[in-house]
Amino acid sequence: MSTPVLDVAPEHRLESTAEAYDLTPKPQPERGKLPHGPIKTVHVFWLAGMSCDGCSIAVVGATNPSVESLLAGAVPAMPKVLLHHPVLSVEAGHEFVRNFELAWQGKLADPYVVVYEGSIADERIAAKTGGYWAALGVEKVDGKDRPVPTAEWLTRLAPGAAAVIAIGTCATWGGVPAAFGNVTGSMSIMDFLGADYRSAFGLPVVNVPGCSPVGDNFMETVAEILLFLQGLGPLPDFDELGRPAWLFKETVHRGCSRAGYYEEGEFAREYGGKECLVEIGCWGPVVNCNIVERGAINHMGGCMKAGGVCIGCTMPGFPDSFSPFYKMPPGANLSTAGAKLTGLFIRPLRRMTLQFQNREKRWDQMENVPSGWGHVPLPSKAERVVHYFYEKWRNFGVRGKR
């Protein structure tokens, strides 16, 4: 049994992405306005280009909020989400594609959001040999079935969307499919739609990078946008590249549990070491990501916590700007040398302070530590002298008696 197809009018036919480029949405003088009153239902149309589906896998593992809670309308103040996902949806064939057609034709009663996973390939390249890179559904053109590139669906749906969200590094910056030597001419959603693009509600492209992204980063961003569309909150704070600023403002290094070792000039020599990983290829000091603080899933895991280095997968230059992986970045030669130099002084001073802070005053007076676990050595005379002046300095300017 053949799948029903849509007979597309000649004025709406796009033979390749080349025509989609020419018809990229341009800003309009009058934008769509927020609906009056709370939104009860919002459609989410999920498109995939040059993708490994890792972004979808990351999102279904999110917990804050979870996909299930939004689909069930169980999150207070949030509209119920109707997700049209090529893998997760119950519908198949034309019944599934029909929802996309209704959105394109403006026949949906509720607003919709477009989520794009994967980079957009240049369909002109594939069209030269009669093929395509990534498509969703087919249409009848001149009596023949024609697969519709997902890039074309984006062109059709973007002007009427309440928001367009690029998920994952492939969609946000081009990612691996756009790396040097690729044959697909791939690019990001932002590159494809252009700087002038605005959604029906006046939003530029929202970017949530990562390869794959932290699922909770994406779901939290979606929740913030839905609250904005509901009129229950302000537009979230995004940076100049469209990233959620509260999630991607800081570097990996600033939130890394190994950063203290860097400060003291201690670096791992091989994988499995507990010290800072910069000298075996970690780019954490110059990468915007919260993977260590938030964890990969359920607030657990994360590259550095699991012993791996940061390879910069959330950044626009990934992967070319961070290759070869697992080799110390050139700038680390200077920074680690400085850390090792200052660490010569910082490390022993901290150990000395720790030694005294790890003691009761009574133990100092009795010159004995009543521990049955092992012998605790007494501080040397030199250490006591240093600590004496340290205590004087610490209490300098404090009025009254302790």
Side-chain angles (χ1 to χ4, degrees), residues 165-241:
I165 306 175
I167 178 173
T169 297
C170 293
T172 55
W173 320 127
V176 172
F180 176 78
N182 83 87
V183 298
T184 63
S186 293
M187 67 186 73
S188 69
I189 309 307
M190 194 164 65
D191 289 320
F192 181 72
L193 293 180
D196 293 332
Y197 169 76
R198 299 292 184 275
S199 71
F201 287 2
L203 300 180
V205 177
V206 174
N207 292 314
V208 185
C211 188
S212 64
V214 177
D216 280 328
N217 281 351
F218 175 77
M219 292 302 295
E220 184 175 310
T221 303
V222 168
E224 293 281 355
I225 292 175
L226 290 178
L227 286 175
F228 166 70
L229 298 179
Q230 284 278 56
L232 298 177
L235 180 66
D237 185 19
F238 295 98
D239 67 14
E240 66 277 6
L241 294 180

Side-chain angles (χ1 to χ4, degrees), residues 297-319:
I297 185 171
N298 274 340
H299 301 280
M300 295 185 292
C303 308
M304 280 53 68
K305 284 186 178 179
V309 300
C310 174
I311 59 175
C313 77
T314 62
M315 302 297 282
F318 179 81

Side-chain angles (χ1 to χ4, degrees), residues 228-299:
F228 166 70
L229 298 179
Q230 284 278 56
L232 298 177
L235 180 66
D237 185 19
F238 295 98
D239 67 14
E240 66 277 6
L241 294 180
R243 295 174 292 197
W246 71 97
L247 299 174
F248 292 92
K249 183 178 181 180
E250 303 294 345
T251 63
V252 171
H253 186 73
R254 289 174 180 169
C256 184
S257 57
R258 299 170 183 260
Y261 287 105
Y262 183 104
E263 187 181 39
E264 295 182 1
E266 295 187 284
F267 300 92
R269 293 288 178 266
E270 58 185 15
Y271 292 100
K274 64 181 180 179
E275 300 85 3
C276 178
L277 303 171
V278 166
E279 289 198 337
I280 53 175
C282 185
W283 285 86
V286 293
V287 170
N288 297 110
C289 183
N290 65 343
I291 181 69
V292 184
E293 298 167 281
R294 184 154 223 172
I297 185 171
N298 274 340
H299 301 280

